[in-house]
Amino acid sequence: MTTPERAGPGLASVIDPFIVGLLVCASLGLLIPARGIAASAVDVLKTAAIALLFFLQGVRLQRAAVIAGMTHWRLQLLTLVATFVLFPILGLLLHAVFPAALDRVLWLGVLYLCTLPSTVQSSIAFTSIARGNVPAAICAATASNLIGIVLTPVLVASLLNLHGGSTSPLEEIESIVLQLLVPFIAGQVLSRWLRPWALRHAVLLTVSDRGSILLVVYAAFSAATLSGAWRDVRWPQLLQLLLISVFLLAVALSATRLASRAAGFSREDEIATVFCGSKKSLATGVPMANILFPPAAAGLIILPVMLFHQIQLMACAYLARRYAATAPAGTPGAAPAARAGLRTDHRSG
């Protein structure tokens, strides 16, 4: 397989086939929603797919590379602050200033987007392409996801005030732990034996990852269709959602870049901070939304996550090319990623 550090982020990075798959599954959920026995079967498959997704993430993670990256604690801290402090503040400010720009459920989706952890695969891939500090990016992205498994439900409970009913934040965290963290830990435990097999069958696992997310997207959009949640969504709101997503990404990219330079980071560390601190994970966001939110609302709530995902891929592909093109002579390429045994192809992230 051609790796991005050799081929560069070409057209496939801009028009991601995975996004086409997401659109197809979303359309199927709108036009042919699962009903009755089919809906029950989809729900069971969805739960199994989410568990498999996080199990395989645990299998692929290489702990040695993460430990090596932990020594740069300022970079890790800055990334976490951008992910879990800057984004939620921006989301709250936008909602306070423009409350009528979106309806209630889409605003919930935007605020939910702001609580999500960073991506893993694409953060590492873009850092590698741009000739940044890949071990630090591995550590930052992984730490963000592990912390996000617990912190995202807490932030959701705080920002969205979901708990007028019987479900408590602790119960939601328990659901997240059982459905996401336990499979991830099981994958880590078995990684010693399964990781070589996973690296040999990277394409198969990529198909499994994406297939899991596509199934969850279909289930969410299908439930939203049956509940009539799409009736009030209008094109002007979708355009406003696009502008909000662009604004969030632009502020995050600028803030992480300026903060990195103010902290005196090297060029390589700046690249890792920018790409890890500005992204939001579709791979974590879609499954988690199906746990945190009612099925009828989950389809609308993940819509901002899906839109932001494509925008961040397009923007970061361009930015990675710019960083690589302006790298000083003699700057090492993506060798650290190769030594770490990590594939840097674009996945669901």
Side-chain angles (χ1 to χ4, degrees):
M1 178 180 291
T2 303
T3 56
E5 60 266 27
R6 288 195 293 268
L11 183 61
S13 297
V14 178
I15 306 175
D16 188 353
F18 179 56
I19 295 297
V20 177
L22 288 173
L23 294 175
V24 169
C25 287
S27 299
L28 289 174
L30 291 170
L31 300 174
I32 316 173
R35 304 171 186 269
I37 297 176
S40 299
V42 168
D43 190 56
V44 172
L45 290 173
K46 175 189 72 177
T47 302
I50 291 171
L52 177 63
L53 175 68
F54 280 82
F55 173 77
L56 293 176
Q57 286 190 1
V59 169
R60 284 191 293 253
L61 176 64
Q62 188 175 29
R63 279 163 283 182
V66 175
I67 293 172
M70 286 182 181
T71 56
H72 199 333
W73 65 269
R74 290 195 303 155
L75 186 153
Q76 312 304 330
L77 180 61
L78 181 54
T79 300
L80 292 175
V81 168
T83 303
F84 295 115
V85 178
L86 174 63
F87 266 100
I89 290 175
L90 289 174
L92 287 174
L93 287 175
L94 285 171
H95 181 259
V97 176
F98 305 107
L102 303 173
D103 65 21
R104 177 180 174 276
V105 179
L106 285 178
W107 266 124
L108 290 181
V110 171
L111 294 175
Y112 173 64
L113 164 70
C114 291
T115 69
L116 290 175
S118 179
T119 64
V120 177
Q121 287 95 345
S122 61
S123 291
I124 297 167
F126 285 127
T127 299
S128 176
I129 292 165
R131 302 183 182 183
N133 187 338
V134 174
I138 295 170
C139 178
T142 303
S144 176
N145 271 258
L146 292 177
I147 293 171
I149 289 176
V150 175
L151 187 56
T152 292
V154 174
L155 289 174
V156 166
S158 301
L159 294 182
L160 310 187
N161 193 23
L162 294 178
H163 303 293
S166 58
T167 304
S168 70
L170 289 179
E171 288 174 333
E172 288 185 351
I173 292 174
E174 180 182 1
S175 297
I176 295 292
V177 168
L178 290 176
Q179 295 188 49
L180 306 186
L181 187 58
V182 169
F184 179 88
I185 292 174
Q188 274 285 280
V189 171
L190 298 175
S191 176
R192 176 180 177 183
W193 298 278
L194 295 182
R195 190 168 186 275
W197 174 85
L199 292 178
R200 290 195 304 269
H201 298 83
V203 175
L204 176 63
L205 297 188
T206 298
V207 172
S208 174
D209 283 352
R210 295 188 170 193
S212 299
I213 296 173
L214 293 175
L215 177 61
V216 174
V217 167
Y218 170 74
F221 274 68
S222 180
T225 299
L226 294 177
S227 71
W230 300 103
R231 284 194 297 262
D232 297 327
V233 178
R234 300 290 182 266
W235 281 108
Q237 285 200 328
L238 295 179
L239 178 59
Q240 289 165 333
L241 181 59
L242 173 65
L243 294 175
I244 288 171
S245 299
V246 170
F247 173 80
L248 288 172
L249 181 61
V251 173
L253 287 170
S254 300
T256 49
R257 186 174 185 177
L258 291 174
S260 299
R261 294 183 177 184
F265 287 0
S266 67
R267 181 182 182 279
E268 290 76 17
D269 291 342
E270 174 191 318
I271 290 170
T273 304
V274 166
F275 286 124
C276 294
S278 63
K279 290 212 184 60
K280 291 296 181 177
S281 175
L282 181 75
T284 299
V286 172
M288 194 176 288
N290 279 265
I291 298 171
L292 292 175
F293 301 101
L300 280 176
I301 287 173
I302 65 174
L303 186 58
V305 182
M306 293 169 57
L307 182 61
F308 188 87
H309 174 78
Q310 178 63 6
I311 294 170
Q312 73 184 10
L313 284 181
M314 294 169 64
C316 291
Y318 170 79
L319 189 58
R321 286 196 294 265
R322 285 290 303 273
Y323 269 122
T326 58
T331 301
R339 287 195 295 269
L342 287 162
R343 303 194 68 84
T344 56
D345 49 306
H346 296 291
R347 286 197 282 251
S348 56

